[in-house]
Amino acid sequence: MPLAPLLRREGLAKLSGREQYVDDLDIPGALHGITVRSTSARGTIRNIRFDPEIDWSSFVIVDHRDVPGLNTVKLIETDQPALAATEVRHIHEPVVLLAHPSRRALRKAVRAITIEVDPLPSVLDFTVRPTPEQIQHGSDNIYKQITITKGDARSILADAPIIVEGVYRTGAQEHVYLEPQGMIAEEVDGVIIIRGSMQCPYYVHTAVCHALGREADQVRIIQTPTGGAFGGKEEFPSGVAIHAALLALKAGRPVRLVYDRTEDLAATTKRHPSWTRHRTAVASDGQLLAQEITFLLDGGAYMTLSPVVLSRGMIHAAGPYHCEHISIDGRAVLSNTVPFGAFRGFGAPQSLFAVERHMDRIALRLGLDPVTVRQRNLLADGQTTATGQVVADGVDRQGLLNRALSLSDYAAKRETHRQFNIDTPDRRRGIGLTTFFHGAGFTGSGEVYLDSKVAVAGLPDGTIEVRTASTEMGQGTTTIFTQLASDRLGLPPEAVAIAQPDTAVVPNSGPTVASRTAMIVGRLVQEACDDLRRQLSLDATDRGNDVAEAIRAWHRTHPNGLLLGQGHYRPPPGIEWDEGTYRGEAYGAYGWAAYVAEVEVDLRTYGTTVLDFVAVQDVGTVLNTTLARGQVQGGVAQGIGWTLMEECQWEDGAMTNNQLTNYIIPTSSDIPPIRVAFQETPYPHGAEGAKGLGELPMDGPAPAIANAIAAATGAEAAVLPLTPERLMADLDR
Amino acid sequence: MTPPTSDVALGFLLNGSSVSVTCAPEDRLLDLLRGPLRLPGTKEGCGEGECGACTVLLNGLPVNSCLVPSYQADGATVETIEALADERHAALLEGGATQCGACTPGVAMTAEWIRRHPALGKRFPLSELMAGNLCRCTGYDGILKSLEAALTDDEGTA
């Protein structure tokens, strides 16, 4: 039985403007905070000069000496200071914090502080080997190096008659969530309470406890409705929360630290720039014989999540194809730019762009249709991925591709474009496709390590409250959890409340990342509902009023009692992963997709217009059609931006176009109709058969569009973004 | 209009009620709405008139309230998201026009302006009319389709 449809539960609150985001909260007596940042890419702090023109006594001033715990933003590593003490590693690195009642006074004060730095040699190009003077991490500036080996690619390549080579590059991308970063901190009865915009309340909790030297029960993190995140509010908010807390402790009053757009664009994490080289041995019929791949990521000035972004990028780097011999070598390296971090797709959009653009190069070289090359190599059940994972999920991958081809009218379009390009002097049309996959949930044993927990509380009035740390950031957590719990217990949606994530109330269901919420946490919500029913001595046939009445009866006999059903993650059987050798089941489930883009390039302006876009995917059972379609269309739009227009411009490792005036994201007039279709092969271990969905649609647009541009114009189309300037240089080469 | 140099007392019609307020000369209409007038439904997305999250209707026309000096509202009619009745949002709710919600009040206000002037939607593509409101979540289809549905509904009930 499919779940009953449900409109977005908080939708009306958002449409009516009643939803209260962090900067909408009216906190009496709160000061405003601001961050004073480095203006040097790398160096030793010599002095911090406060302009005597300003009366500093009216400001709360915080620097590294005010950090009561360990002065680091704890994540995978503890390399990033909460506030720089002696050394800065990138422009915009936080050094001093200020608080004051007036935002205007703060903006003036920031300009009156000079951070004097003795410069040190910086690294601004991550593809160049550093000199000894540039080393800042380990002995080589490498944050993480990974090798994936299947078979013996080197021997095959040594004797191969046909080798296709290519180098592919992608640029940084800003998340541009419409609500900038923000936190409000205060101390109440010895407990630091921090409210703000975030994906992962327990990440923030861990980082704040670490930096402030507090016990877990002395820190309480509450997520406020979050106006978009896309990974940009995975790890970055931890630092903002620490800063707000430091100011609040020193001020003895609540402090509101909310970024404006220019600060948010300049100082927050972005998608990792990448460099990928492919050397591929192929048979004349298009069969992949050996893939040798080198994958480099620019990690920026601190490690953040770069090792896991690298890992996911590499696991996807060979594409959704069967090949007996694969060698992938990857490194994430330091540079003195703003740290790069989590962003929807998490390394996979970069590596999939490379392999999927490369597949079209292979087709061109062999004189085959790009469809043929993919049909010949797409993984079939029983075959293995690059990590040796046997694919056996019953998904009809050839069928996905065929559906995308027929929905997009691919074959006929190829013919009409041929004629159009002869008849039309100034414009060129082309169609391009990509087949790809995206692993859902944490990599390897990551989900076991997360050890996620969920609770469903039965309340005295017979309603229930779902308690998880999984946040709503627009993707639909609240609605999906309501549908799942309502369906499981037969209660109407109105009888299901979703608790606002608050670390004092909700158990740790893990971070809201990696397309894991519906599939993994949703499943735990169902299990917690079952556990609640067990505690009430009900059986599975008891639903609706029987459940509500049993909850009320329990409370009559247990006054002030806590009735909690619990769900606790257990891995599906057969998941084996070896982190040392990178062999085994990298992901419990994969979403699979085939996307097709049709473009027109104007040869006078070199501007590209996407005329049509078809997105066909298998993400298991679709739990809510409107939400799922919205995720795909939103991801495709974000992908179109990354492919054609979004370009961070850098000077000395700092983003110089940190305004929406010149960092251009797509508007409604830039986006074609995005036609979405789902093939639904239920995943037995996901909630109601669901697999991860949120990130997959970010992977497909770049290769589909680049392949279409190449088909239209003959461009190399190997470097993103394909701005008019870059395409002009490409075609005039 | 010469910009004032000291605090200025303003009066205007806000969501149907007269308001009087004193503000600094550099205060933007957005600051006034979100601050002393306590209407946080209007959001600040970029502060430079690019994203449209702060869209309000000034004398019936959509404007970015981050680009309007407050004193320009003196004697004007200002409508914010708080002025719209819940029923007005039905089509946008059903069509998936909102996800994270940060752009949504601005989107809803531009949509409201188009609905009050349905001839606009017949002369210009909705994708052009809505191009001043950036949305990072929906890919715009949910917004455009639900606005289309709202315009059709409006026609039926007109």
Side-chain angles (χ1 to χ4, degrees), chain A residues 259-601:
Chain A
Y259 289 7
D260 70 14
R261 180 61 60 186
T262 54
E263 181 178 24
D264 197 294
L265 287 172
T268 67
T269 51
K270 303 171 205 321
R271 183 183 302 287
H272 291 71
S274 74
W275 182 98
T276 310
R277 189 182 60 207
H278 276 261
R279 289 184 71 230
T280 312
V282 286
S284 57
D285 66 355
Q287 191 194 343
L288 300 174
L289 302 176
Q291 296 170 278
E292 183 186 85
I293 304 165
T294 309
F295 183 56
L296 297 185
L297 289 179
D298 185 350
Y302 295 102
M303 183 183 280
T304 71
L305 294 164
S306 295
V308 261
V309 175
L310 177 73
S311 164
R312 185 177 278 271
M314 290 182 63
I315 290 169
H316 291 78
Y321 305 113
H322 176 70
C323 180
E324 290 292 349
H325 303 280
I326 301 176
S327 159
I328 312 171
D329 179 51
R331 293 187 292 283
V333 301
L334 176 145
S335 72
N336 292 103
T337 53
V338 63
F340 297 101
F343 195 150
R344 188 184 210 167
F346 213 71
Q350 292 94 316
S351 65
L352 283 166
F353 165 69
V355 67
E356 281 298 287
R357 184 72 199 94
H358 194 64
M359 289 298 278
D360 267 37
R361 289 264 191 80
I362 291 170
L364 187 68
R365 169 80 173 272
L366 299 175
L368 297 172
D369 191 289
V371 176
T372 311
V373 175
R374 289 175 173 84
Q375 284 170 334
R376 189 141 293 153
N377 293 290
L378 269 178
L379 280 160
D381 272 12
Q383 294 179 327
T384 56
T385 67
T387 66
Q389 176 169 5
V390 180
V391 175
D393 58 9
V395 172
D396 179 6
R397 282 165 284 273
Q398 300 283 351
L400 273 177
L401 172 55
N402 290 335
R403 185 132 177 240
L405 295 174
S406 72
L407 279 175
S408 63
D409 211 6
Y410 179 88
K413 288 265 175 74
R414 296 254 296 182
E415 287 312 309
T416 54
H417 290 160
R418 213 183 307 276
Q419 196 56 45
F420 179 93
N421 292 342
I422 292 167
D423 298 342
T424 319
D426 297 329
R427 288 175 293 156
R428 293 288 178 270
R429 287 189 176 174
I431 193 162
L433 84 140
T434 175
T435 46
F436 59 102
F437 62 159
H438 197 96
F442 262 40
T443 306
S445 18
E447 288 294 340
V448 175
Y449 170 77
L450 285 176
D451 197 29
S452 300
K453 298 179 186 72
V454 158
V456 171
L459 305 178
D461 65 356
T463 65
I464 61 168
E465 184 180 69
V466 178
R467 297 177 180 174
T468 78
S470 305
T471 51
E472 171 70 55
M473 45 187 164
Q475 85 285 38
T477 302
T478 304
T479 307
I480 295 289
F481 285 179
T482 303
Q483 284 179 280
L484 289 170
S486 160
D487 174 77
R488 202 68 167 191
L489 293 175
L491 294 167
E494 308 81 64
V496 180
I498 308 297
Q500 193 67 28
D502 172 345
T503 56
V505 176
V506 301
N508 189 353
S509 60
T512 313
V513 304
S515 311
R516 64 186 293 278
T517 301
M519 171 174 117
I520 288 172
V521 186
R523 175 70 177 227
L524 297 180
V525 169
Q526 293 181 310
E527 288 176 8
C529 288
D530 295 346
D531 185 47
L532 182 71
R533 189 186 259 125
R534 261 193 305 276
Q535 294 194 39
L536 295 167
S537 305
L538 300 173
D539 60 47
T541 56
D542 293 316
R543 294 172 58 79
N545 275 337
D546 295 340
V547 175
E549 185 43 49
I551 294 171
R552 284 189 288 263
W554 187 93
H555 279 283
R556 285 194 290 272
T557 54
H558 302 76
N560 302 317
L562 194 57
L563 174 61
L564 281 186
Q566 310 211 26
H568 192 165
Y569 180 77
R570 290 180 314 278
I575 297 278
E576 300 288 339
W577 175 250
D578 185 332
E579 185 72 22
T581 60
Y582 261 71
R583 305 297 297 159
E585 276 63 51
Y587 298 100
Y590 293 86
W592 306 90
Y595 285 9
V596 180
E598 184 189 12
V599 304
E600 180 175 302
V601 177

Side-chain angles (χ1 to χ4, degrees), chain A residues 666-725:
Chain A
T667 71
S668 50
S669 63
D670 299 313
I671 299 296
I674 300 167
R675 299 189 282 143
V676 180
F678 295 102
Q679 175 177 295
E680 300 185 49
T681 309
Y683 169 54
H685 305 293
E688 290 298 303
K691 294 187 289 195
L693 159 63
E695 294 172 284
L696 176 89
M698 184 72 218
D699 298 337
I705 292 167
N707 287 338
I709 290 174
T713 64
E716 291 284 333
V719 182
L720 299 185
L722 289 159
T723 56
E725 293 88 340

